[in-house]
């Protein structure tokens, strides 16, 4: 049976409730640490319910309290606002007046031990948590992460990724169709309300929503930085305000906790160069980092292959989460 989630609102802005789901191990004999995971979708789309199978299995396998949290979506808010949601979510988890107040007496968790993970755009949020949250998480686990909205992959038009064949590399679109996709930017398939920065602010979208085409539109339009409200112009690459949101630019000054990065070398939704750059900087700065650069793996490989266990990542996580401490509740 799949583990059951308890949904809790961790933040309210105006009339908008921003929820998280917490999954607790059954029959736990000790207070489990927390593994916080953020979903992908370019910070433009997605839902906390889309948790990869290995995370759900990790709950009982590694005695983990798994949390999947929503956050506000761009372009109706910018990356600064989204990071504020990440910061507030972690504060809610760590506070003795936050998450634990919503759990029954038998559901004890160790809020002193926190791992932050995320997939794709969620991996980007895991990096931002590692850079800017104080105190830092014990460990971060970015999976095929976005790391730089101004990087080449996101500033050059890309074809929409084709996720077929169990997540393996599939044939590309015919040349004519690819050309049309790049020229049209998929705008016809994405309602203007979702592309409008002044549109309704949401913290998730249902699976049948046309908003789920925002990522393909963004790749074809090569406008992620604009959608995240970065400063765009001739000096965008030298703008210190932008540098805060370009992970490799901040590692030297901000540092990172122990970091485990996973990225496939044929990823068509987030180019592997995004991870390569950050891992290289981490090595140069002496950050404790382990890089699993997977040959022949595309985006969402751990979703399409339900048997993918990501064992190396969980071994790394366990090493740096350590043992229970006085933060046990």
């Amino acid at each position: 049976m799949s583990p059951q989630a308890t949904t809790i609102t961790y933040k309210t802005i105006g009339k908008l409730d921003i929820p998280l789901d917490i999954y607790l191990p059954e029959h736990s004999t000790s207070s489990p640490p927390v593994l916080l995971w953020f979903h992908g979708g370019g910070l433009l789309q997605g839902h906390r319910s889309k948790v990869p199978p290995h995370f759900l299995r990790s709950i009982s396998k590694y005695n983990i309290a798994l949390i999947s949290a929503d956050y506000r979506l761009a372009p109706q808010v910018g990356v600064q606002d989204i990071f504020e949601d990440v910061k507030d979510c972690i504060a809610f988890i760590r506070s003795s007046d936050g998450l634990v107040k919503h759990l029954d007496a038998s559901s004890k968790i160790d809020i002193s031990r926190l791992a932050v993970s995320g997939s794709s755009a969620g991996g980007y949020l895991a990096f931002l948590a590692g850079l800017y949250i104080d105190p830092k998480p014990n460990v971060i686990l970015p999976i095929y992460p976005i790391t730089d909205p101004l990087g080449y992959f996101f500033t050059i038009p890309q074809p929409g990724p084709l996720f077929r064949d169990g997540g393996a590399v599939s044939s590309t679109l015919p040349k004519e169709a690819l050309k049309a996709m790049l020229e049209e930017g998929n705008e016809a398939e994405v309602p203007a309300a979702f592309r409008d920065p002044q549109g309704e602010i949401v913290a998730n979208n249902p699976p049948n929503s046309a908003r789920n085409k925002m990522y393909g539109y963004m790749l074809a339009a090569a406008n992620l930085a604009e959608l995240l409200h970065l400063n765009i112009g001739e000096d965008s690459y030298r703008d210190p305000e932008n540098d805060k949101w370009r992970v490799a630019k901040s590692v030297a000054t901000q540092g990172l906790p122990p970091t485990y990065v996973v990225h496939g070398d044929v990823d068509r939704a987030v180019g592997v160069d995004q991870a390569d750059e950050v891992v290289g900087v981490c090595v140069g700065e002496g950050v404790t980092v382990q890089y699993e650069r997977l040959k022949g793996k595309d985006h969402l490989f751990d979703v399409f292959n339900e048997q993918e266990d990501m064992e190396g990542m969980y071994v790394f996580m366990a090493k740096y989460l350590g043992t229970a401490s006085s933060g046990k509740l």
Side-chain angles (χ1 to χ4, degrees):
M1 294 181 61
S2 298
Q4 297 300 305
T6 298
T7 301
I8 298 168
T9 296
Y10 73 84
K11 180 176 181 177
T12 299
I13 301 178
K15 296 182 179 180
L16 179 66
D17 291 337
I18 308 179
L20 59 78
D21 287 346
I22 182 168
Y23 303 80
L24 296 169
E26 294 184 12
H27 317 301
S28 178
T29 58
S30 62
S31 298
V34 176
L35 171 54
L36 171 62
W37 176 82
F38 292 105
H39 68 76
L43 308 184
L44 307 168
Q45 62 186 56
H47 196 283
R48 68 188 184 281
S49 64
K50 300 302 181 182
V51 183
H54 61 87
F55 278 110
L56 297 176
R57 292 194 298 270
S58 75
I59 299 164
S60 59
K61 185 175 181 181
Y62 299 102
N63 190 41
I64 289 292
L66 175 68
I67 294 175
S68 174
D70 280 331
Y71 47 86
R72 286 173 290 171
L73 299 176
Q76 288 73 42
V77 299
V79 64
Q80 176 68 60
D81 303 294
I82 297 168
F83 175 67
E84 290 298 321
D85 293 345
V86 172
K87 184 166 65 173
D88 290 340
C89 181
I90 291 175
F92 179 80
I93 291 168
R94 285 174 160 170
S95 172
S96 58
D97 292 322
L99 175 62
V100 294
K101 292 289 188 179
H102 296 264
L103 304 178
D104 61 49
S106 63
S107 302
K108 297 181 183 297
I109 60 174
D110 187 347
I111 59 175
S112 73
R113 295 187 291 157
L114 174 66
V116 180
S117 184
S119 303
S120 194
Y124 181 45
L125 297 181
F127 266 125
L128 295 182
L131 288 170
Y132 303 120
I133 295 295
D134 183 24
K136 294 183 183 297
N138 300 76
V139 61
I140 61 171
L141 313 164
I143 303 172
Y144 34 80
I146 291 172
T147 68
D148 185 358
L150 285 169
Y152 289 123
F153 185 85
F154 291 109
T155 54
I156 298 173
Q158 306 286 339
L162 302 178
F163 300 124
R164 294 202 298 258
D165 307 327
V169 180
S170 58
S171 58
T172 57
L173 286 170
K175 186 175 181 179
E176 295 77 13
L178 175 60
K179 182 173 183 290
M181 178 185 293
L182 296 178
E183 289 176 349
E184 294 172 8
N186 289 350
E187 288 193 19
E189 298 183 7
V190 181
F194 298 143
R195 293 182 277 112
D196 180 7
Q198 304 304 315
E200 179 186 6
I201 298 173
V202 298
N204 57 48
N205 62 264
N208 60 349
S209 170
R211 190 173 188 119
N212 282 328
K213 297 182 179 181
M214 279 289 291
Y215 197 84
Y217 151 70
M218 176 275 294
L219 287 180
N223 63 346
L224 179 59
E226 179 181 354
L227 294 172
L228 296 183
H229 300 193
L230 272 66
N231 298 326
I232 304 301
E234 291 183 7
D235 295 327
S236 60
Y237 293 96
R238 295 187 293 272
D239 190 326
E241 291 297 317
N242 286 345
D243 285 353
K244 179 178 180 180
W245 310 114
R246 307 178 71 192
V247 175
K249 299 287 187 182
S250 300
V251 173
T253 57
Q254 301 297 322
L256 283 170
T259 300
Y260 191 98
V261 183
V262 182
H263 212 132
D265 68 356
V266 292
D267 194 318
R268 292 166 296 165
V270 178
V272 72
D273 59 294
Q274 293 266 308
D276 287 348
E277 180 184 24
V278 173
V279 171
V281 171
C282 286
V283 171
E285 294 296 330
V287 172
T288 298
V289 62
Q290 186 167 331
Y291 189 19
E292 194 171 358
R293 195 178 195 274
L294 300 173
K295 293 182 179 180
K297 296 290 187 181
D298 201 351
H299 209 64
L300 301 181
F301 70 88
D302 60 329
V303 176
F304 287 109
N305 179 9
E306 293 192 3
Q307 304 309 310
E308 179 64 56
D309 61 12
M310 304 283 280
E311 183 176 1
M313 183 183 77
Y314 290 106
V315 169
F316 187 91
M317 177 190 72
K319 178 179 179 181
Y320 291 101
L321 276 182
T323 56
S325 74
S326 58
K328 187 185 296 183
L329 293 169

